[in-house]
Amino acid sequence: MTTSQPVPASAGGIPGAAASSASVNALQIPDLTGRTAVVTGANSGIGLPTARALGRAGAHVVLAVRDLDKGKAAATTVPGSHEVRRLDLAHLASVREFAASWDGDLDLLINNAGVMMAPEGRTKDGFETHFGTNHLGHFALTNLLLPHITDRVVTVSAAAHRWVKGIDFDNLYLAGEYNPRRAYGQSKLANLLFTLELQRRLSDVGSRVRSLAAHPGLAVSNLGPRSGLGAQLGRMLFKIVAQDTEAGAQPTLLAATQDVPGASYAGPDGHSGMRGAPALVGRTAAASDPAAAKRLWAQSAELTGTDFSGVPL
């Protein structure tokens, strides 16, 4: 595993480049005037401060949300040019409708939305809730929007990818073996493998588009169980060690706006990656396995009916 490495704007995106530590709020975001960004799940959690930061920098921000009313309420706090569009990542028909309605260039796609530690369930297409929403929904969305994307795709993973040793390709939905922790961890591992394989495909065709990943550390959000002992313990833990959503959004913003190499993974540089300044961080061997990434892509393409095509060079 590589060591954490703070990357301010001056680091130039060179792997291993020396960079001084900075405070969590010191990330310098360049002028994004004239650029368009889609942020899924932008009405809450780290998605909202991500949208606000991009809006302050001059980008036109599209809040892609499941609940339009909540999205419109959140949008009133986003500076600059913005709009709200409906997107339900747990329903491929909604994903296709969103993508089909897109016209023109899309500079930045931030795959941020997700569910965490949910009871066993299925999406409208019959996929396990975490895998279907966190991974397959974003997989389909990215592939359908690729003909429009001009700069980069940032997919939000989590330190929880370390909770599993690999993707259970023989039982993707963990039928008969379901555990919320395992299901969530597998979906976050899938996010990283998706990022890896997408970058390989982009590089193979000579595209300038980059695929990157980020994780917020332990940040206050509306994810996770709302009741029970686990929720109570979680709230106590948050009070002690969690950072706020603004700080949690910083690794996403690093990946979205700084000159870092494709397939980079950003996260907090503090103890166990739970909090700290945004930095390039390490991932597990399972999250760096190109064979697993290719296999996951093939299965995801079959399940969603979408695949890599039409990317701008």
Side-chain angles (χ1 to χ4, degrees), residues 57-292:
H60 174 69
V61 182
V62 178
L63 291 80
V65 300
R66 185 176 58 181
D67 188 316
L68 283 177
D69 290 336
K70 291 181 179 179
K72 290 174 182 178
T76 63
T77 71
V78 176
S81 175
H82 58 263
E83 62 180 289
V84 180
R85 297 193 188 189
R86 187 176 185 279
L87 172 65
D88 183 355
L89 289 160
H91 192 190
L92 288 179
S94 176
V95 174
R96 291 183 181 277
E97 182 179 359
F98 182 96
S101 71
W102 195 268
D103 184 33
D105 289 345
L106 171 58
D107 300 284
L108 174 61
L109 172 61
I110 298 183
N111 293 323
N112 165 80
V115 295
M116 175 182 179
M117 305 290 280
E120 186 171 12
R122 295 288 185 268
T123 68
K124 293 180 181 178
D125 300 287
F127 308 134
E128 187 276 315
T129 300
H130 297 87
F131 193 78
T133 306
N134 299 352
H135 169 59
L136 291 176
H138 282 128
F139 177 91
L141 179 68
T142 302
N143 280 307
L144 291 169
L145 288 177
L146 267 179
H148 302 279
I149 297 174
T150 64
D151 186 3
R152 65 188 80 186
V153 177
V154 178
T155 301
V156 178
S157 182
H161 81 276
R162 300 178 181 279
W163 294 352
V164 295
K165 296 181 179 179
I167 302 292
D168 190 341
F169 288 106
D170 296 324
N171 188 12
L172 284 175
Y173 307 155
L174 307 181
E177 304 175 5
Y178 186 80
N179 176 284
R181 177 183 172 94
R182 182 180 172 193
Y184 178 64
Q186 177 172 259
S187 73
K188 295 291 100 178
L189 174 58
N191 290 152
L192 284 173
L193 290 173
F194 163 67
T195 298
L196 187 67
E197 177 63 8
L198 177 58
Q199 182 58 53
R200 185 191 69 80
R201 289 167 178 258
L202 291 166
S203 298
D204 280 355
V205 298
S207 174
R208 66 182 181 273
V209 177
R210 280 175 281 182
S211 171
L212 306 108
H215 81 89
L218 187 59
V220 177
S221 75
N222 60 346
L223 295 179
R226 303 297 181 85
S227 61
L229 180 59
Q232 295 175 24
L233 291 174
R235 285 192 292 270
M236 291 175 60
L237 181 62
F238 278 153
K239 290 180 180 179
I240 298 171
V241 300
Q243 52 189 9
D244 61 24
T245 53
E246 284 72 19
Q250 292 293 300
T252 299
L253 291 167
L254 185 157
T257 68
Q258 306 301 300
D259 185 15
V260 293
S264 292
Y265 185 34
D269 68 351
H271 178 67
S272 298
M274 290 191 294
R275 59 188 299 153
L280 296 187
V281 298
R283 68 191 84 189
T284 63
S288 306
D289 183 347

